[in-house]
Every structure is written in C-alpha cells, then in structure tokens.
Amino acid sequence: MDVDSKVGAYLQTQQREAPAELAHFFTEFEDLYERKIWHQLTKLVETFINIPEAAPFRIGIYNEFVRDWQKYMNKVKLVLFALAAARQFDSISAAAEFMEKIAKEVDQPESQEAHALALLESAHFRLLLNDLDSTRDTLEKCQRMVESFATVDPVIYASFYRVCADYYKAKASFGQYYKNALLLLACIDIQELTVEDRVQRAYDLSIAALLSDTIYNFGDLLSHPIIDALKGTEHEWMVALLLAFNAGDIGKFESLTGSLHAQPLLAQQESFLQQKIRLMALIESMFKRQGTGARTIPFGVVSAETKMPVNEIEHLVMKALSLGLIRGGIDQVGQQITVQWVQPRYLGKDQIKNLMDRLVQWEGRVIETAQQMSQTTPELFA
C-alpha cells in the first residue's frame, strides 16, 4: 500500500524538522504504516509520545497521523494518545472539551473501557477548572462502569484513583484522599513519576495522614517507597513527624513544632494534632503492656505518658474507644482503664525491639511455669 499523501507529507516533513534523536521515529512510522503493522506501530507511537523531548510533536502526531488509522488500534491506547495531545493545549477548557469529544467517539459497546478512561480524563481537566460538581458526577458514573467490567486495564484504575484523589484533595477530605492516593500508587510504577511528582504525592499523603480524623495507623504510608521521596528535601522533617505520631512520641512531636508552624495547614490544625498525638501515645502505652499481664492501667500512669491532666484522661480514653483504637472499659470509681484489644500497629525498630523483649519475657514466664508444675506434680512429667 502506498502511504496516504497527506500522512506521507506530514511524516517526511517531521523527518526533516525533528531533532536528530527523534527523526528516526518518523521514518519507522512511515515504514510500519505502509506495511499495515498496526500493533507494532501503536507500540512505537506510545514509546515516542512518552519521550519528554517529543512533547511539542504530540498534538501533530495525534491529529495528522494517529487519527488516520485509529480504527485499527486498541481504543484505550487511542485515548492515551489523545490525552498526551490534550495535555499540550494552552487552554484547560479546550483540553476538557477535546477529551469529552474523544469520549463520545469511543462510546461503543466494544470500547467501554476507553470510554470510561476518556470520561475520567475529561473530568480531571474539569477539576483543574474547579468544577467540582461535574467531576463528582463523572466519578460516580465511572465507578459504576468500572464495577461492571469483567476485567479492567490497570491504566483505568490508575486514572480513576488519581482523579478521585485529586477531587478529595480539592475538597480537603483527608481520609478519602489518603485512601485513593495509596490505591493509585498500587496501580502504577512510582519510578515512572517525575521526582517533583513523587515529592508532591508523598507530601500530600503525609499531610492527609496527619490531618485525617480517621487515620491512626500510618503503616501503609511509612512502609511505602513513596515516603523516601521526601528524604533530602525541605520536607524531610515530615517523615520524622510521621514517625513521632506512629510511636506516640510527644517529646519528638514537640521538638518539631517549629517546622510544623511553618506549614500553614498544619499550624491551623495544631489543637487537633495535639489531641491526635496524645491518642497515639495512649495507643502506644496500651500496646506496650499487651502480653505483660498488665491489662488494668491507672489514670495516673496514662496521665504521665500522655502528658495530660488526670481529669482529662477519661475523655481521652472515651475518644479512643469511640474511634475503635482500643477495646475495653473505664472504671470511674477506681480511676483505671481495662484494655482488651489495641489496634494493630506499624512497628518501627524501637517498637520491634520492645516486642522482642516482651516475647523473651513471655518465654521466661512459660519456662518458669513449666518448672513449677514439674516440681509440684512430677508424676505428670515422668
């Protein structure tokens, strides 16, 4: 087959005008197009548009080349190529309208995944325009679509969770942002993100973990490689702050208040953070005592470990009980707490050492009990 004259003219022009490191792509495009090797051509275009230096060519590649043979390609890839072009538009509004047009084009029974992806990406542009209502409606529609699919391409999940996360960030819904941002990271290779994107995502996740009134276990974040993005940056203190909260370390928290005050969002919520660190200290106090036989703890001991007045301990414990962080009861007359269960924790090195010490103590008690039994009832051990 001869190359279409319009397509051929475009490819030959780009061969001449493109930088040397990109020019060979247009020669290969022409060869594969002429031989109708659509799958390999799709893969090569995907490689090309993901090269940062190829950004100025993305709109032209889509309009002048891809659209000519789009009926032969995977429609999810088509939407991704269109998205790469839309991100080069000067106008966010124009990009949103462009992706809405693409969504209509792929709205066919056999390409509903691509339709959902195009809708999600158009919603993301709408979100950038602060159109929260439209974004919410699209997310609800796409959630129903995705749940109905027998199988889902990971790129669809990634798009869904990214738009959800950014929507909840705009709404300052910290718990929902945290959940969806972590689900997004499970769908992608974080090494494919730019350094700036990794730092921003880790920073946003840290803020969300600290300010959410439903998150009291930071294990998912502290154990995720994304947190390493903050090391060596101006936000490295956030890692220390998360570790302080995770360990219920009030002293460490207080030593970081200077950095905390430099972050307006955290500074505005300092009273909430003061309560949260004391709840974390309470959980840590209860956790350290599990397995030691000390299930009943006086208010005075909790007061010392949480640095709160004794007359405020009952309210603190009631808060922990209502949040499901611990299970147990309060003896108001005896001024003591009985703990039956503590929320599972992410353990740092010091906490793991503490757990190891408790296991050693437990082993010692087992051996001691066995020895006592062998002495009092030797016939059982004969």
Side-chain angles (χ1 to χ4, degrees):
M1 162 181 124
D2 292 330
V3 175
D4 178 90
S5 58
K6 184 178 178 181
V7 170
Y10 167 75
L11 294 174
Q12 289 163 18
T13 299
Q14 300 310 310
Q15 289 174 35
R16 294 192 300 270
E17 298 180 356
E21 65 273 17
L22 299 177
H24 71 93
F25 279 100
F26 293 97
T27 303
E28 294 177 54
F29 290 157
E30 186 173 7
D31 175 59
L32 293 172
Y33 177 87
E34 182 176 14
R35 293 192 287 146
K36 300 184 183 180
I37 307 180
W38 308 123
H39 179 66
Q40 287 89 332
L41 181 55
T42 301
K43 291 180 67 175
L44 188 62
V45 171
E46 183 177 24
T47 300
F48 178 79
I49 65 170
N50 286 325
I51 299 173
E53 293 76 15
F57 298 91
R58 290 170 185 164
I59 295 176
I61 279 285
Y62 182 80
N63 288 329
E64 305 297 332
F65 183 49
V66 170
R67 290 193 68 85
D68 182 81
W69 50 280
Q70 64 182 30
K71 64 181 178 180
Y72 301 113
M73 73 168 63
N74 177 292
K75 295 304 180 284
V76 169
K77 297 294 186 185
L78 175 64
V79 172
L80 292 174
F81 295 166
L83 176 61
R87 286 174 174 165
Q88 302 304 310
F89 287 12
D90 294 330
S91 165
I92 296 175
S93 178
E97 292 173 3
F98 177 73
M99 291 310 299
E100 287 164 3
K101 178 183 175 184
I102 298 299
K104 291 178 181 177
E105 289 182 8
V106 296
D107 187 9
Q108 301 297 328
E110 68 278 7
S111 57
Q112 284 300 291
E113 277 196 348
H115 179 54
L117 178 59
L119 286 174
L120 286 166
E121 295 302 339
S122 67
H124 195 253
F125 285 120
R126 291 295 178 193
L127 182 59
L128 295 177
L129 294 170
N130 205 35
D131 188 348
L132 298 181
D133 291 340
S134 173
T135 303
R136 182 200 60 228
D137 292 344
T138 302
L139 284 172
E140 290 175 352
K141 177 180 179 179
C142 289
Q143 182 174 11
R144 292 191 295 271
M145 293 176 66
V146 170
E147 289 174 350
S148 71
F149 297 154
T151 59
V152 182
D153 190 313
V155 75
I156 312 295
Y157 276 131
S159 179
F160 178 75
Y161 292 130
R162 176 168 49 82
V163 181
C164 280
D166 290 350
Y167 170 75
Y168 288 118
K169 178 181 176 180
K171 296 278 287 184
S173 181
F174 301 113
Q176 286 294 328
Y177 170 82
Y178 184 84
K179 171 187 172 182
N180 284 279
L182 283 175
L183 286 169
L184 165 64
L185 295 179
C187 297
I188 62 175
D189 179 357
I190 64 170
Q191 296 305 317
E192 294 179 359
L193 299 174
T194 65
V195 173
E196 294 77 12
D197 285 344
R198 290 200 296 273
V199 171
Q200 187 64 54
R201 190 64 74 180
Y203 179 76
D204 289 342
L205 276 164
S206 300
I207 293 289
L210 292 166
L211 294 183
S212 171
D213 58 2
T214 60
I215 298 171
Y216 290 86
N217 187 337
F218 302 156
D220 288 336
L221 177 56
L222 288 171
S223 61
H224 198 287
I226 194 70
I227 201 66
D228 293 335
L230 296 179
K231 296 177 181 178
T233 73
E234 60 180 319
H235 306 305
E236 186 168 8
W237 62 273
M238 293 285 288
V239 180
L241 187 59
L242 286 169
L243 290 170
F245 268 84
N246 190 68
D249 189 339
I250 297 174
K252 185 65 175 177
F253 167 77
E254 291 175 344
S255 73
L256 292 166
T257 52
S259 297
L260 184 150
H261 290 155
Q263 211 295 330
L265 200 54
L266 295 179
Q268 292 169 12
Q269 299 293 327
E270 184 173 2
S271 61
F272 168 77
L273 292 172
Q274 290 281 0
Q275 181 190 62
K276 187 165 183 173
I277 188 66
R278 280 158 177 79
L279 280 168
M280 300 298 284
L282 173 66
I283 299 169
E284 180 65 16
S285 176
M286 304 296 104
F287 182 79
K288 286 190 297 186
R289 287 172 171 79
Q290 279 195 319
T292 65
R295 290 180 176 271
T296 302
I297 307 148
F299 279 15
V301 173
V302 178
S303 172
E305 296 190 357
T306 60
K307 298 185 179 181
M308 291 184 70
V310 172
N311 62 358
E312 295 182 15
I313 295 303
E314 183 177 346
H315 177 75
L316 181 71
V317 175
M318 289 175 65
K319 181 73 172 177
L321 288 168
S322 69
L323 290 169
L325 303 178
I326 61 174
R327 295 175 192 158
I330 303 172
D331 180 353
Q332 294 175 314
V333 177
Q335 294 282 285
Q336 59 187 12
I337 308 159
T338 302
V339 179
Q340 300 167 340
W341 175 88
V342 180
Q343 182 188 71
R345 315 285 313 285
Y346 168 84
L347 302 181
K349 290 181 179 179
D350 291 340
Q351 292 164 306
I352 292 173
K353 183 179 183 301
N354 177 266
L355 184 61
M356 182 184 71
D357 292 341
R358 283 163 45 194
L359 287 171
V360 170
Q361 293 170 11
W362 176 80
E363 181 186 30
R365 291 199 301 273
V366 170
I367 293 172
E368 182 182 350
T369 301
Q371 289 173 343
Q372 291 174 350
M373 290 183 66
S374 66
Q375 292 170 3
T376 57
T377 57
E379 66 276 6
L380 295 178
F381 295 86

